[in-house]
Amino acid sequence: MSQFWEFAFKNLFRNKRRTLSTATAICVGFVGLNLLGAYIYRSKKALDATSVYSAQRGHISIYKKNAVEQYQVKPRQYVLTKKDIEEIQIVLKQYGDSVDYTSTKLSATALISNGTKSYPVVVYGFEPESYKKSLQQKDLLLWAKDWVIPSQLENLDIFIQNPETISLTQRIGEVMALDYPFKSSEYLQLAGKNLDGDLNAINVLLGAEHTTGLQFLEDTVVLLPIQKVQELLSTDSVESFSIYLKTFSDTNDVIQKLRQHFDKMKLNYDVFRFDDVAINSMHQGTMGFLYVMGGFFVFLICTAVSLTIINSLTMGIIERTREIGTLRAVGFKVQQVIELFTKESILLAALSMLVGVILSFMICEIVNKLEIKFFPPGASQKILFILNWNVGIAASVFVLLMLVTWLSSYLVIKNKMKVKLISLINDSGENS
Amino acid sequence: MSHVVEIKSIYKSYLLGEVKVEAIKNLSLTVTKGEFTALVGASGSGKTTLLNLIGCLDNVDKGDVIIAQSDVKSLSEDQKSILRNEKIGFIFQSFNLIPVLSVYENVELPLTIRKNLDPEFIKSKVMSAISDVGLADFIHHRPDQLSGGQRQRVAIARALVTDPDLILADEPTANLDSKTAHKIIDLMIDLNQKKGVTFFFCTHDEKLMSRVQKIIKIKDGQIETV
């Protein structure tokens, strides 16, 4: 009934101060949740992009069955052979529409040395062509450009031009007392056990710098084209196969199909999503923390909004008891009175949140323009504090707070409607 | 003549603290369509209780209340709401107008909950009721912009707008000065005589009592004289 909305709207002006304070509480709650959502959204997008592209996992990683747990112990048994790769590629052809490109990865533990100083590192082997493609992906540049150092983006062809080139972090360079910026003519040696357990060593050319983005990996990880890592490990096999899809949204679908296919064909491969805890505990841990924190704040804000509405509406209803009685006397049913009062709260919440939409959007824009840099826990360098205002999050918060508002007001008025009609009419708190 | 109200041997008691008060005891009466009836009696005699029972605002302990051929006892709460909306109009001592609504909207209120009514029909009914009480120039005023007498006129228009079989008024002139009270009495009598509206009201106002067709005197919850 449109008159109910009109009536509800007029009632908002009955006690302007109370209406304003309730509206402020709802608006602040809405803005708070939106900003928190904007931060979590940005963090997730950045983590997704770095997991897929910077870390070269692809949207989907395929390993030999149980390789994630066993590769370090029995590497020869758990690598993907050339035959495995061919087998996977044949299967993948069925999903050609979704797949953008593929690559392989191989890691090894080794000792890096410049003749005077040696240092233990983990060598991540990658395909130079796909590395170049990955660092040029728009998702990475959009969400996590500041998680990649500029020289990485400037030297994308260096590994293609010279597959002997090794990339170090600045931290490893410091530990090894190398001149910084790195001189591209300096040869280093990598020594380690090959897959058969025999000692092996190769020469690599220092030529690039990278960051892992993570403090705990910054003094550990070096990057090297995969053929050099294979040379070090005396193998033509790889550790994992990465699939890069055209869109993130296809990931689960392709994973499901691949798993079904491998099961059906009795092929011994494990298929992981880029954020699977088995291969990317960092993503899971960070997002888990942010979701728990977000959930806690959602709970706090919903409780505060709910209590504000309950308090405000209870006060209003006490003052308007006789009015409720009058409405019932002229023929309003219990449900109609409940509807009238809940519409009042819903209208107030909607108006408050409309203001909140504008406010939260403006705050995001201002914060982003200020280009504030900060150190996220565990990060290797400062990154921009960016808040990505998102329609989906705003709509979800809107719906959530609407539900909270409706439920809170419904409970208050429903409780009041238990009072006998005659007691409502005879209430002395009338002000008309 | 058809009976708008038929009350048969009703009883009503309530608790005042821990004391049980017998407000109405074995009371029977009828109100015929077109009557202008005053219910009089001392304070605590049961006038308002009886009015509330007739208006389906409260339930009897025992006995039957039949309003416009509907046995109230057999009705659900929602059905009672519909009965109040369609058959009964209320005028309260303290007007009970909605402060945020205009005169027009206050009078329109009982019709807003009816389904499938043509907006033009609603408008004509509301304007007619407002004109009947002489407030056509005040339709956009809010209650706080009106005098006591004007507010009571709005309440009368709100009671009239649904063309009820019965208008119940609880001390309609109690909160008004004597001059305004006179005007309200004149208005009610006029509506009764010209439009045949049935009024049943309780009052202490002797001026009003002297001008009614029928007076029911109630004492200790029972009818003393008619």
Side-chain angles (χ1 to χ4, degrees):
Chain A
M1 288 176 194
S2 63
Q3 285 104 325
F4 275 27
W5 285 113
E6 206 179 320
F7 190 4
F9 182 74
K10 287 183 177 178
N11 276 325
L12 296 183
F13 297 94
R14 195 183 281 249
N15 189 328
K16 291 189 188 92
R17 194 177 298 174
R18 191 186 301 142
T19 299
L20 189 66
S21 64
T22 311
T24 305
I26 297 171
C27 184
V28 168
F30 179 81
V31 169
L33 286 182
N34 263 286
L35 296 183
L36 184 66
Y39 177 70
I40 293 175
Y41 180 75
R42 192 269 168 158
S43 301
K44 183 177 183 323
K45 285 287 185 184
L47 274 173
D48 287 356
T50 51
S51 299
V52 172
Y53 299 115
S54 302
Q56 296 276 290
R57 284 189 188 90
H59 297 83
I60 300 165
S61 291
I62 300 176
Y63 287 75
K64 199 88 174 179
K65 197 122 197 131
N66 302 324
V68 171
E69 301 88 25
Q70 297 294 329
Y71 174 74
Q72 296 298 332
V73 187
K74 298 172 185 168
R76 179 65 80 189
Q77 197 178 325
Y78 289 96
V79 288
L80 293 171
T81 62
K82 274 190 168 175
K83 189 175 159 255
D84 292 328
I85 301 291
E86 280 166 17
E87 212 165 44
I88 292 166
Q89 276 167 336
I90 289 168
V91 173
L92 258 191
K93 277 183 185 162
Q94 296 175 33
Y95 316 114
D97 287 348
S98 305
V99 177
D100 191 2
Y101 59 99
T102 61
S103 73
T104 51
K105 277 174 70 179
L106 180 64
S107 67
T109 50
L111 210 57
I112 190 166
S113 171
N114 62 354
T116 54
K117 197 151 189 175
S118 299
Y119 184 69
V121 289
V122 175
V123 188
Y124 279 1
F126 60 89
E127 291 182 14
E129 289 286 354
S130 69
Y131 176 80
K132 181 183 173 184
K133 242 181 191 175
S134 294
L135 290 197
Q136 287 176 323
Q137 289 298 312
K138 69 174 189 321
D139 273 334
L140 183 71
L141 299 176
L142 178 68
W143 297 107
K145 193 178 177 182
D146 54 335
W147 291 27
V148 181
I149 55 176
S151 64
Q152 269 180 285
L153 296 171
E154 288 159 12
N155 290 324
L156 287 172
D157 286 323
I158 198 166
F159 302 104
I160 300 168
Q161 288 159 358
N162 188 351
E164 288 192 328
T165 307
I166 191 166
S167 174
L168 305 185
T169 62
Q170 190 186 342
R171 177 87 187 108
I172 293 176
E174 283 167 12
V175 172
M176 293 187 66
L178 297 170
D179 291 335
Y180 187 83
F182 300 136
K183 287 176 190 161
S184 60
S185 57
E186 191 169 352
Y187 269 95
L188 304 172
Q189 291 74 49
L190 276 177
K193 279 184 182 175
N194 65 17
L195 290 191
D196 299 318
D198 300 327
L199 272 176
N200 196 7
I202 56 169
N203 284 326
V204 289
L205 183 66
L206 176 57
E209 182 195 352
H210 69 275
T211 177
T212 60
L214 303 169
Q215 214 166 21
F216 73 98
L217 289 179
E218 205 63 0
D219 58 357
T220 310
V221 172
V222 300
L223 301 178
L224 186 66
I226 194 165
Q227 61 198 82
K228 290 299 287 181
V229 185
Q230 284 173 325
E231 189 185 325
L232 177 68
L233 295 180
S234 309
T235 180
D236 57 0
S237 301
V238 299
E239 185 181 349
S240 66
F241 184 85
S242 306
I243 303 167
Y244 299 84
L245 302 178
K246 287 172 185 160
T247 60
F248 273 81
S249 56
D250 283 344
T251 310
N252 288 345
D253 188 40
V254 176
I255 286 176
Q256 198 187 357
K257 284 176 182 164
L258 281 174
R259 282 178 179 160
Q260 280 171 355
H261 198 101
F262 291 157
D263 282 349
K264 196 174 154 193
M265 303 295 289
K266 297 198 178 353
L267 298 174
N268 284 328
Y269 303 123
D270 278 333
V271 183
F272 297 104
R273 207 180 122 94
F274 60 88
D275 57 357
D276 195 300
V277 71
I279 60 165
N280 194 357
S281 55
M282 169 70 189
H283 189 295
Q284 287 286 328
T286 307
M287 288 317 298
F289 169 74
L290 288 175
Y291 287 144
V292 168
M293 186 182 74
F296 177 69
F297 278 105
V298 166
F299 172 76
L300 271 187
I301 289 173
C302 285
T303 306
V305 167
S306 175
L307 289 176
T308 306
I309 290 166
I310 288 172
N311 185 39
S312 162
L313 199 60
T314 302
M315 294 290 286
I317 281 173
I318 288 169
E319 286 168 8
R320 291 161 63 188
T321 301
R322 192 185 285 189
E323 183 179 311
I324 295 169
T326 306
L327 293 173
R328 296 275 288 116
V330 301
F332 276 62
K333 294 174 188 168
V334 168
Q335 205 52 43
Q336 287 170 322
V337 176
I338 292 173
E339 186 186 333
L340 180 66
F341 276 83
T342 48
K343 276 183 173 171
E344 213 172 296
S345 299
I346 282 171
L347 194 60
L348 179 62
L351 293 173
S352 312
M353 286 193 271
L354 281 180
V355 175
V357 166
I358 298 164
L359 264 180
S360 57
F361 183 79
M362 281 170 60
I363 291 171
C364 287
E365 287 295 303
I366 292 167
V367 167
N368 294 345
K369 281 211 163 63
L370 290 174
E371 295 190 348
I372 302 162
K373 285 200 162 192
F374 78 115
F375 249 118
S380 58
Q381 81 267 25
K382 277 185 174 180
I383 63 163
L384 280 174
F385 182 69
I386 295 173
L387 296 170
N388 284 94
W389 192 88
N390 182 275
V391 180
I393 291 171
S396 307
V397 174
F398 190 90
V399 171
L400 177 70
L401 290 187
M402 271 298 181
L403 279 173
V404 169
T405 302
W406 175 80
L407 188 64
S408 308
S409 53
Y410 179 83
L411 290 176
V412 173
I413 185 67
K414 177 85 179 162
N415 193 43
K416 188 69 179 181
M417 295 315 289
K418 287 178 187 162
V419 177
K420 280 184 175 179
L421 173 52
I422 192 65
S423 305
L424 294 171
I425 296 244
N426 289 337
D427 187 84
S428 57
E430 177 57 40
N431 52 10
S432 60
Chain B
M1 293 280 250
S2 59
H3 291 146
V4 180
V5 179
E6 276 184 83
I7 286 175
K8 297 172 188 171
S9 305
I10 60 165
Y11 290 80
K12 178 68 185 176
S13 61
Y14 55 86
L15 285 172
L16 197 64
E18 289 180 359
V19 183
K20 189 178 178 185
V21 178
E22 300 278 353
I24 302 286
K25 286 177 276 188
N26 193 22
L27 187 148
S28 299
L29 66 83
T30 57
V31 177
T32 307
K33 193 164 176 55
E35 273 186 357
F36 194 74
T37 309
L39 184 65
V40 298
S43 289
S45 58
K47 298 190 299 292
T48 300
T49 304
L50 179 58
L51 216 63
N52 291 337
L53 294 172
I54 295 172
C56 309
L57 302 176
D58 206 355
N59 300 320
V60 292
D61 295 338
K62 206 170 125 187
D64 297 314
V65 177
I66 297 163
I67 309 292
Q69 279 80 54
S70 296
D71 184 355
V72 174
K73 210 161 53 180
S74 66
L75 301 179
S76 67
E77 276 306 308
D78 279 357
Q79 286 169 325
K80 279 188 215 170
S81 293
I82 294 168
L83 181 73
R84 280 194 298 271
N85 182 256
E86 293 179 353
K87 306 290 183 187
I88 307 169
F90 290 92
I91 302 169
F92 298 99
Q93 186 178 328
S94 47
F95 326 127
N96 288 24
L97 301 177
I98 310 296
V100 293
L101 299 183
S102 66
V103 167
Y104 182 93
E105 289 162 336
N106 264 291
V107 176
E108 186 193 25
L109 201 58
L111 295 178
T112 59
I113 50 174
R114 291 204 187 167
K115 283 174 184 162
N116 305 323
L117 278 187
D118 176 25
E120 280 305 311
F121 172 77
I122 293 178
K123 193 175 176 187
S124 70
K125 292 295 293 177
V126 174
M127 287 311 296
S128 163
I130 292 174
S131 297
D132 285 345
V133 298
L135 287 176
D137 295 335
F138 295 86
I139 56 169
H140 298 302
H141 286 59
R142 286 206 316 268
D144 59 2
Q145 296 168 314
L146 301 174
S147 67
Q150 286 171 324
R151 289 185 202 188
Q152 197 57 301
R153 282 167 186 268
V154 177
I156 293 170
R158 184 179 64 191
L160 275 176
V161 77
T162 56
D163 289 329
D165 290 6
L166 171 72
I167 289 182
L168 297 171
D170 187 7
E171 310 257 8
T173 57
N175 279 353
L176 304 173
D177 60 73
S178 62
K179 196 178 161 191
T180 311
H182 254 297
K183 287 182 182 169
I184 293 294
I185 294 162
D186 289 342
L187 174 65
M188 288 165 60
I189 291 170
D190 196 44
L191 288 167
N192 173 252
Q193 288 175 351
K194 288 186 180 160
K195 299 207 158 200
V197 180
T198 310
F199 277 93
F200 187 87
F201 55 94
C202 55
T203 185
H204 280 111
D205 192 332
E206 291 187 359
K207 287 181 223 107
L208 185 52
M209 278 188 257
S210 66
R211 299 177 66 183
V212 300
Q213 295 168 345
K214 181 177 165 186
I215 294 176
I216 298 172
K217 196 167 183 189
I218 187 168
K219 188 180 177 186
D220 298 332
Q222 290 178 312
I223 292 174
E224 198 175 51
T225 57
V226 178

